[in-house]
Amino acid sequence: MLPLKEKDKVIVGKLLACGCCARCVLRFCCIGVPDAYRQGHRETLRELRAFVENHNWQKNVAQLEAPCKRSRLELEEATGESEIEDEGVCVVCLGVLQHLSDAPQAVQIADAIKKEKYQVDTLVLSVSLPAQMCVREHSCWLHVKEDVRAKCGALGRRDVIQVKEAFKWIMQGPLARELGAVAVAAKSPLEVSVCFAHPETDADCHFLASACPDCFKVSKNKQSAFTRMAVAKALEKIPDNKFLERSPCPPSRPGSACAPQEVRCVHASVFVAGRYNKFCRSLPQTPWFINGQRRMESSVEELVAAPVLAAFGARGFNFSSSGREDVDVRTLGNGRPFALELLNPRRSQLSPESMKNVQQAINASSQKIRVRDLQMVSRDATSRLKEGEEEKTKSYRALVWTQKSIREDDVAFINRIEDLKVDQKTPLRVLHRRTLAVRQRLVRSMSADLLDEHHFRLGLKTQAGTYIKEFVHGDFGRTKPNLCQLLDTHTDILELDVESVDVDWPPALPD
């Protein structure tokens, strides 16, 4: 039995008379029992009619667009029933709940999931509905508002059960049966969204644009200004009398049902982290394009990501790291920490052994890079890459040329320098992508090993974000002080290596 009360009879009769389907009637009666929606629509309609038949149901039903007498007789002969069948599309849900046939729609959704080959044991089901459905629901609410408040003064429009909620209640069981081992849950990394559209009634909400113009703003990323959020906002603002002047109440009967246009499957991102070494002086960290033309055939990002994408079946990725090196700079030592965000992966988990296999595949793919400590991490853990960005220290080794001859006392001078504050105006070479500013950085220590009278090895330990090349050659005076000033001669940097990035993340793994 449906959990209806005596006070619901007037509401049920008015809603059935204006063209609401049985399940929408339950929604407006604020029935929050999922099983009430899971029983067949025809059976629910039968119960609703029995519920109101002693309360002028015959008078109300005369307002319905009933089939002609001949059609009704033919139906009675075919089914052995004398009930009046509900014909026409629901004026509120546009047939989404009314014509919800469990098995066929469950098969359609399940086939879309199986086609994508997700390896999951749960999913969450969501529904995308036309914005005009909000207008129709508001119209129907105004039609029965006084009756609802007579039933219970505390009930409001927000207490009406949402179409999305009812859809999920009905579809969860059949969909779980079609998918077998995959359960429909309240929370899951895999979201399956069923998208409905109903072009016939698109214009239902257009009047709101003139009534509440500030709610509708055209955006380049939106196909229409009439989003559900914008329409809902407008319905909150428009007075009831203004709404009733511009929109029929109850809503008019549509000629066709709302049909699912698309089933979208999106898995939450998975995150993989590690450390990389770069041994090549002609390999950029990320793909390098100048004026739309690619300059290098590959990059660290691509070499690392390709085997990981294949292992997780991901459709894309975002790469981030603890700083970056220039194309001609090597990264040695324990390497540079990095993280990959894998977009819409088909697999959400890999065993530690499988992750080792992926790491080996990366290292075998090229002699230019090497990866270590490859592991799965949480989204929150990736914030360690950016925490204390300017407090981190990095160590470098550079080959420096000097115009004038240098002596051992110059080397001794360099070795004594500690905690040197340097003001660096945005270098000319990165000015096209970084804001013009003066940034103060700290050179914590330096060491020099003399090779000959014009060359020495320079070791530096600096605050993260220090531009080492500009500190050596001065960048036309944009970095002050610089090595040219300190040694009183023109200097230039010939080679540069990153020797360590002092970030204790991700955790080291045993070999």
Side-chain angles (χ1 to χ4, degrees), residues 190-257:
L190 176 60
E191 179 179 0
V192 178
S193 180
V194 185
C195 305
F196 287 86
H198 196 251
E200 178 191 338
T201 56
D202 278 349
D204 284 1
C205 50
H206 289 181
F207 74 94
L208 291 170
S210 57
C212 304
D214 57 321
C215 294
F216 301 93
K217 297 179 180 179
V218 179
S219 170
K220 292 181 180 179
N221 299 325
K222 297 176 182 177
Q223 294 182 347
S224 170
F226 296 99
T227 63
R228 285 184 65 85
M229 185 176 294
V231 170
K233 184 178 178 181
L235 292 174
E236 291 287 341
K237 296 181 67 173
I238 188 170
D240 290 350
N241 62 322
K242 293 292 185 182
F243 179 92
L244 294 173
E245 288 174 5
R246 307 288 296 275
S247 182
C249 180
S252 58
R253 175 91 72 177
S256 60

Side-chain angles (χ1 to χ4, degrees), residues 444-477:
R444 298 186 182 277
S445 62
M446 290 193 290
S447 63
D449 295 319
L450 190 61
L451 299 178
D452 58 48
E453 60 182 10
H454 291 286
H455 298 86
F456 67 93
R457 291 283 181 187
L458 176 65
L460 302 104
K461 191 169 187 178
T462 71
Q463 179 183 354
T466 305
Y467 290 101
I468 304 302
K469 292 179 179 178
E470 281 68 25
F471 171 70
V472 171
H473 60 61
D475 197 24
F476 302 100

Side-chain angles (χ1 to χ4, degrees), residues 21 24 27 89-98 133 163 258:
C21 70
C24 278
R27 294 193 308 107
V89 179
C90 175
V91 297
V92 183
C93 74
L94 300 172
V96 170
L97 300 179
Q98 176 188 16
M133 203 175 285
V163 173
C258 188

Side-chain angles (χ1 to χ4, degrees), residues 370-435:
R370 183 178 181 274
V371 168
R372 60 183 297 159
D373 301 329
L374 194 69
Q375 57 196 278
M376 296 186 65
V377 296
S378 67
R379 179 188 290 272
D380 291 341
T382 61
S383 64
R384 291 288 303 277
L385 282 175
K386 303 301 179 184
E387 283 180 0
E389 186 77 35
E390 295 187 359
E391 283 70 40
K392 293 181 295 188
T393 58
K394 296 182 181 181
S395 298
Y396 301 87
R397 195 78 173 166
L399 175 60
V400 179
W401 168 85
T402 63
Q403 186 177 45
K404 78 172 187 180
S405 298
I406 56 172
R407 301 182 300 274
E408 288 294 343
D409 56 340
D410 295 314
V411 170
F413 169 70
I414 291 173
N415 290 339
R416 290 194 299 269
I417 294 176
E418 291 184 352
D419 296 332
L420 178 67
K421 292 182 180 178
V422 177
D423 293 325
Q424 292 196 304
K425 189 177 288 187
T426 305
L428 293 172
R429 64 188 174 89
V430 299
L431 196 54
H432 65 284
R433 58 182 171 85
R434 294 213 64 182
T435 305

